[in-house]
């Protein structure tokens, strides 16, 4: 299968396949697609595959689809299952993953392709993810999201992993180690990168191949992400054979380390710092709640 796809890519001249999972986020997807239309490489050199992860909702009629893009159905729940559906149809030698709420730089694909052309021993690339606030100054919620969430450079350099908000992979790597774990609701990008690392594949980092990512501005969105990502960790532990999981009681205790991380920043005053810390504590309580919800109440994993 992999060899056929590579041959097709060479025949069609498609260098990269951009893969975007989408779950009821058409408004922000339209912004992402608009930026992809402005890439510095010709449209004929790449394709865009949007995986619609909602089995009920169709794309809105007013959504503008670039000529080199298509939307495919991916009804199996989860963004990683949706990415796998796109991988099956992709023809590019390079798979470029981003999210519907991300805005790639105009030279995103050019820089990603250039990296692989210059670094033949690398099979993965984590591009920078730059946080963007909605106003002139970030709110307390946006500051929390910036301080405690995606740090792509640190992920790559310290842990050999990258978030799929901005991840490039050679098709040959996927053909060898397989796609994402389709059962995961969260953490599938790290599992995929760890699996690649165990197989001896190298990952690099690029600040030039960056995407912009809006910082979350609502506490409810922060809590939802916390529940989804923590649920992904519970899933991994269960998959590893751990049947009895002790609730994270340590999350109930306020963290001195988190306070230090917040207040050592020069852009955080006392009032804002207290607000950010309160959001952090609510997030910790959400982890404890999610553990009880999944392991005791036997509820499904959060997917939003």
């Amino acid at each position: 299968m992999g060899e056929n796809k590579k041959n097709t890519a060479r025949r069609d001249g498609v260098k990269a396949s951009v893969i975007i999972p989408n779950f009821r986020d058409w408004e922000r997807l339209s912004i992402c697609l608009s930026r992809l239309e402005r890439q510095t490489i010709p449209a004929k050199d790449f394709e865009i595959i949007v995986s619609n992860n909602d089995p009920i909702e169709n794309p809105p009629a007013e959504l503008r689809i670039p000529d080199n893009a298509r939307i495919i159905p991916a009804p199996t729940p989860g963004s990683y299952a949706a990415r796998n559906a796109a991988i099956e149809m992709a023809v590019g030698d390079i798979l470029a993953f981003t999210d519907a709420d991300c805005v790639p730089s105009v030279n995103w694909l050019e820089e990603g392709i250039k990296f692989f052309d210059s670094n033949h021993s690398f099979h993965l690339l984590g591009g920078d993810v730059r946080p963007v606030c909605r106003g002139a100054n970030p709110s307390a919620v946006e500051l929390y999201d910036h301080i405690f969430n995606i740090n792509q450079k640190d992920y790559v350099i310290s842990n050999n992993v990258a978030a799929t908000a901005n991840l490039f992979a050679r098709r040959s790597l996927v053909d060898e180690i397989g796609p994402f774990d389709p059962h995961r609701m969260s953490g599938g990008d790290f599992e995929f990168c760890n699996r690649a690392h165990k197989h001896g594949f190298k990952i690099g980092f690029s600040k030039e191949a960056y995407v912009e990512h809006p910082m979350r501005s609502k506490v409810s969105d922060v809590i939802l992400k916390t529940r989804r990502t923590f649920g992904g960790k519970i899933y991994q532990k269960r998959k590893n054979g751990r049947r009895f999981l002790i609730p994270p009681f340590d999350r109930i205790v306020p963290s001195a380390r988190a306070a230090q991380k917040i207040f050592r920043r020069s852009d955080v005053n006392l009032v804002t710092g207290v607000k950010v810390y309160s959001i952090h504590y609510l997030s910790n309580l959400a982890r404890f709640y999610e553990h009880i919800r999944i392991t005791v109440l036997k509820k499904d994993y959060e997917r939003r």
Side-chain angles (χ1 to χ4, degrees), residues 6 18 97 187 198 243-244 256 261:
K6 292 177 187 177
V18 179
F97 300 96
K198 290 178 181 177
R243 297 297 179 185
F244 180 73
K261 190 172 185 178

Side-chain angles (χ1 to χ4, degrees), residues 19-128:
I19 293 176
I20 310 170
N22 183 64
F23 182 73
R24 301 177 183 175
D25 200 3
W26 302 108
E27 183 176 351
R28 291 190 292 187
L29 173 66
S30 67
I31 299 172
C32 179
L33 293 176
S34 177
R35 182 61 66 87
L36 288 171
E37 281 192 293
R38 297 168 54 197
Q39 291 296 296
T40 52
I41 66 172
K44 64 179 178 59
D45 287 350
F46 70 100
E47 63 173 350
I48 305 167
I49 307 175
V50 177
S51 295
N52 181 12
N53 202 215
D54 190 327
I56 300 175
E57 185 175 279
N58 293 318
E62 64 273 17
L63 180 68
R64 187 176 182 283
I65 308 297
D67 292 338
N68 62 338
R70 51 184 164 150
I71 298 177
I72 65 169
T76 302
S79 63
Y80 299 106
R83 292 182 181 97
N84 288 348
I87 289 172
E88 285 291 322
M89 299 186 175
V91 299
D93 282 335
I94 295 172
L95 305 178
F97 300 96
T98 191
D99 293 331
D101 61 350
C102 290
V103 182
S105 59
V106 293
N107 60 338
W108 177 58
L109 284 173
E110 181 181 1
E111 291 295 338
I113 293 170
K114 186 190 300 182
F115 175 88
F116 285 118
D117 287 344
S118 303
N119 299 276
H120 298 289
S121 64
F122 285 77
H123 284 72
L124 285 171
L125 172 66
D128 200 10

Side-chain angles (χ1 to χ4, degrees), residues 37-255:
E37 281 192 293
R38 297 168 54 197
Q39 291 296 296
T40 52
I41 66 172
K44 64 179 178 59
D45 287 350
F46 70 100
E47 63 173 350
I48 305 167
I49 307 175
V50 177
S51 295
N52 181 12
N53 202 215
D54 190 327
I56 300 175
E57 185 175 279
N58 293 318
E62 64 273 17
L63 180 68
R64 187 176 182 283
I65 308 297
D67 292 338
N68 62 338
R70 51 184 164 150
I71 298 177
I72 65 169
T76 302
S79 63
Y80 299 106
R83 292 182 181 97
N84 288 348
I87 289 172
E88 285 291 322
M89 299 186 175
V91 299
D93 282 335
I94 295 172
L95 305 178
F97 300 96
T98 191
D99 293 331
D101 61 350
C102 290
V103 182
S105 59
V106 293
N107 60 338
W108 177 58
L109 284 173
E110 181 181 1
E111 291 295 338
I113 293 170
K114 186 190 300 182
F115 175 88
F116 285 118
D117 287 344
S118 303
N119 299 276
H120 298 289
S121 64
F122 285 77
H123 284 72
L124 285 171
L125 172 66
D128 200 10
V129 180
R130 302 184 181 179
V132 178
C133 65
R134 287 161 175 77
N137 297 300
S139 66
V141 179
E142 289 174 324
L143 270 175
Y144 166 83
D145 196 50
H146 176 49
I147 295 170
F148 290 98
N149 282 311
I150 297 175
N151 186 335
Q152 192 81 311
K153 185 177 181 179
D154 185 61
Y155 289 167
V156 173
I157 295 175
S158 301
N159 300 298
N160 296 297
V161 299
T164 39
N166 191 0
L167 174 66
F168 293 80
R170 294 188 191 271
R171 178 70 201 219
S172 57
L173 177 147
V174 178
D175 290 340
E176 181 164 339
I177 73 169
F180 297 98
D181 181 344
H183 304 292
R184 285 177 173 267
M185 294 295 121
S186 179
D189 41 11
F190 286 8
E191 187 278 332
F192 173 78
C193 291
N194 280 325
R195 192 172 0 123
H197 182 65
K198 290 178 181 177
H199 279 75
F201 292 107
K202 295 167 61 177
I203 184 170
F205 173 77
S206 170
K207 66 178 182 179
E208 290 81 15
Y210 72 89
V211 302
E212 296 174 346
H213 187 277
M215 292 182 278
R216 289 168 181 79
S217 59
K218 298 179 181 178
V219 175
S220 58
D221 290 340
V222 168
I223 298 303
L224 272 178
K225 182 188 177 183
T226 298
R227 290 176 52 203
R228 186 180 72 250
T229 55
F230 192 69
K233 292 179 180 178
I234 293 175
Y235 169 84
Q236 181 60 43
K237 289 177 180 178
R238 284 178 162 177
K239 188 176 180 181
N240 291 339
R242 294 179 61 179
R243 297 297 179 185
F244 180 73
L245 300 175
I246 301 174
F249 290 107
D250 61 311
R251 300 292 180 174
I252 301 176
V253 180
S255 169

